[in-house]
Amino acid sequence: MENPIPHSTKPSAVDCGGIPAKVAEFIDTFVDFSVSGGLFLPPEPLPLKKQDSPLQTVFPQPKRLIAIGDIHGDLKKAKQALRLAKLIDKEERWSGGTATVVQVGDIFDRGGDEIKLMYFFEKLKREAAKAGGLVITMNGNHEIMNVNGDFRFATPEGFAEFENWAMWQLTGNRMKKMCDGMDKFLINDLFNELPSEIPRVQPEFQNAAKARFAALRPNGLIANRFLSKNQTVVIVGDSVFAHGGLLKDHILYGLDRVNDEVRDWIRGRRNKVAHDLVRGKNSIVWLRKFSYETAEDCDCSLLEHALNSIPGVRRMIMGHTIQRDGINGVCDNMAIRVDVGMSKVCGDRFPEVLEINDRSELRILTANPFYLKREYKSEVDMLIPETRGTSKVEVNA
């Protein structure tokens, strides 16, 4: 199949002085800068370079843990949430010290900053690691859908971003071909074996959708580079994180096994992942049994049954379902829901993040002016209310 992005005739190659690797690195940096909105990625710390090492599932309780909900292609709101938690400074560099951040998934779809968000979080991962901090990004149902070629929630702006990305990849290739000895640094199979038509995509977006497919399919450039680093389940201290939620069957399957199998699928080393893990309505990224807005609709017995299967864990933190009244807890705060619909197309609500300290005390940090003049303190486990309007909650602007 022809490339969805046209390219020019190959120029005559020249001798690059025996330093093709350095030239290729310069070109790759130039391409990254062009597609990321002007970011230079800092050097990758050694722990982050170990691509083939298993994904870590369990982390110790840090002095400060921040949970950020669904972002859906809105870089501006993501930065507002990070500033709210004092994790980035005015220059948008990591300022969180040794804090741990968990973004619970759904960076993809419904917005036009998907690639920029992946680069921005990659930059923060590297900066945080250097400072002794940690940034964890997770798979939501929209990450899984996009790797699977399901673009029904992609926007025109999102398609355009991937079309621009593909153009710059081909530009980088053409620049590399200007030098002898660059063959091993070329991207030779970017548009190989693309479908003739991407389903559920209008004709005017087909070329852009093919670029998106090439980037995000298993073993695609972006899938490998960014999404393969995402966890699907993670435990930090006494909190377990999952985009939709966990059932006991998921836990008995093995949380390390879940992360490894999803990662292997994203990297093209596995043909599929079990339907019950990432695709069905009761899968880890689609489950809503514990995130219904009405507390009475949440199955607390089922939740407690699941949590009791993970030694030392006292709560489950999830996104996926918008909480119109902000971050809240149900089932005696065994379930904490952090998707507040902050992205522009999902309600454009005020950013909020969850903060947990090393004593396992919880606090909501919010930009909602309704709460700015209030700062209520109470016993641990009462800091996250089931009814925001009348219960006690500690908030900070």
Side-chain angles (χ1 to χ4, degrees):
M1 167 166 290
E2 292 184 1
N3 295 348
I5 310 298
H7 59 279
S8 59
T9 305
K10 175 182 176 180
S12 299
V14 298
D15 185 0
C16 287
I19 53 169
K22 290 295 183 183
V23 175
E25 183 180 353
F26 172 81
I27 293 171
D28 289 340
T29 299
F30 170 69
V31 171
D32 282 345
F33 179 85
S34 301
V35 302
S36 66
L39 295 182
F40 287 111
L41 293 178
E44 195 169 22
L46 185 59
L48 298 182
K49 284 185 177 181
K50 298 178 180 179
Q51 295 289 333
D52 290 321
S53 59
L55 283 173
Q56 188 171 342
T57 301
V58 181
F59 297 84
Q61 179 72 40
K63 288 186 176 180
R64 188 168 186 249
L65 171 62
I66 299 292
I68 300 176
D70 305 29
I71 297 172
H72 283 302
D74 194 330
L75 179 61
K76 180 180 178 180
K77 283 295 184 69
K79 290 178 179 179
Q80 288 177 4
L82 290 161
R83 287 192 193 97
L84 184 65
K86 296 180 172 59
L87 296 172
I88 59 174
D89 59 22
K90 292 180 180 179
E91 284 72 42
E92 299 178 350
R93 295 185 297 243
W94 175 260
S95 61
T98 60
T100 292
V101 183
V102 180
Q103 196 285 315
V104 299
D106 277 9
I107 281 178
F108 275 96
D109 289 333
R110 298 193 167 108
D113 298 329
E114 297 156 297
I115 293 175
K116 294 181 185 69
L117 277 162
M118 284 186 286
Y119 272 94
F120 190 73
F121 273 98
E122 178 66 21
K123 180 179 81 76
L124 290 185
K125 286 181 181 184
R126 299 182 185 192
E127 292 172 346
K130 186 176 180 181
L134 178 65
V135 175
I136 298 169
T137 52
M138 300 187 68
N139 290 313
N141 57 309
H142 286 267
E143 280 71 38
I144 300 300
M145 290 168 68
N146 275 269
V147 175
N148 207 39
D150 184 346
F151 303 150
R152 74 184 100 159
F153 295 108
T155 63
E157 295 81 8
F159 281 129
E161 191 183 33
F162 276 88
E163 192 167 29
N164 179 68
W165 171 87
M167 182 273 291
W168 279 108
Q169 301 308 314
L170 294 173
T171 298
N173 251 12
R174 290 197 295 273
M175 293 172 68
K176 291 174 184 177
K177 288 178 180 178
M178 296 174 68
C179 285
D180 285 327
M182 299 287 280
D183 288 351
K184 67 179 181 179
F185 301 107
L186 297 176
I187 305 169
N188 292 315
D189 56 355
L190 180 59
F191 299 112
N192 287 358
E193 300 180 1
L194 293 180
S196 58
E197 182 177 332
I198 307 295
R200 298 175 177 172
V201 175
Q202 296 175 359
E204 61 266 34
F205 299 122
Q206 280 294 323
N207 275 350
K210 290 173 185 175
R212 189 180 181 102
F213 185 95
L216 297 175
R217 62 181 164 180
N219 200 33
L221 283 184
I222 287 183
N224 243 334
R225 185 176 184 186
F226 298 113
L227 298 184
S228 68
K229 299 177 182 179
N230 286 0
Q231 280 94 337
T232 303
V233 184
V234 68
I235 298 170
V236 183
D238 57 4
S239 301
V240 61
F241 294 80
H243 181 71
L246 289 170
L247 300 175
K248 186 174 181 180
D249 286 347
H250 302 139
I251 297 162
L252 295 178
Y253 189 84
L255 301 186
D256 286 323
R257 184 180 175 189
V258 169
N259 280 333
D260 288 343
E261 290 185 4
V262 174
R263 183 196 197 189
D264 286 347
W265 170 65
I266 290 172
R267 298 185 73 178
R269 298 179 178 180
R270 185 183 184 90
N271 289 333
K272 62 181 180 179
V273 181
H275 186 270
D276 291 343
L277 296 182
V278 294
R279 291 190 178 87
K281 69 176 183 179
N282 288 328
S283 69
I284 296 168
V285 297
W286 281 98
L287 189 71
R288 297 189 194 271
K289 290 183 182 293
F290 313 133
S291 58
Y292 292 116
E293 283 193 275
T294 305
E296 290 77 13
D297 292 333
C298 295
D299 193 331
C300 296
S301 175
L302 192 66
L303 173 61
E304 185 174 15
H305 199 49
L307 290 177
N308 286 341
S309 302
I310 312 176
V313 168
R314 64 189 298 184
R315 69 181 68 87
M316 189 179 299
I317 300 174
M318 65 210 80
H320 189 45
T321 304
I322 294 173
Q323 309 295 310
R324 288 171 292 183
D325 290 331
I327 292 173
N328 64 82
V330 294
C331 304
D332 293 326
N333 286 334
M334 290 189 296
I336 308 295
R337 296 88 67 84
V338 298
D339 179 9
V340 298
M342 73 173 86
S343 65
K344 186 174 182 179
V345 295
C346 289
D348 202 18
R349 294 177 176 86
F350 293 101
E352 291 192 351
V353 301
L354 175 71
E355 180 186 71
I356 305 175
N357 65 21
D358 55 358
R359 297 182 299 278
S360 198
E361 296 169 336
L362 282 64
R363 186 166 69 142
I364 301 168
L365 305 179
T366 181
N368 190 334
F370 179 74
Y371 293 101
L372 293 187
K373 295 182 180 179
R374 302 184 180 188
E375 185 167 333
Y376 300 106
K377 295 184 179 180
S378 60
E379 298 298 324
V380 63
D381 284 339
M382 288 299 291
L383 293 177
I384 305 297
E386 296 198 2
T387 305
R388 286 286 292 273
T390 57
S391 298
K392 295 179 180 180
V393 58
E394 184 174 351
V395 299
N396 188 24

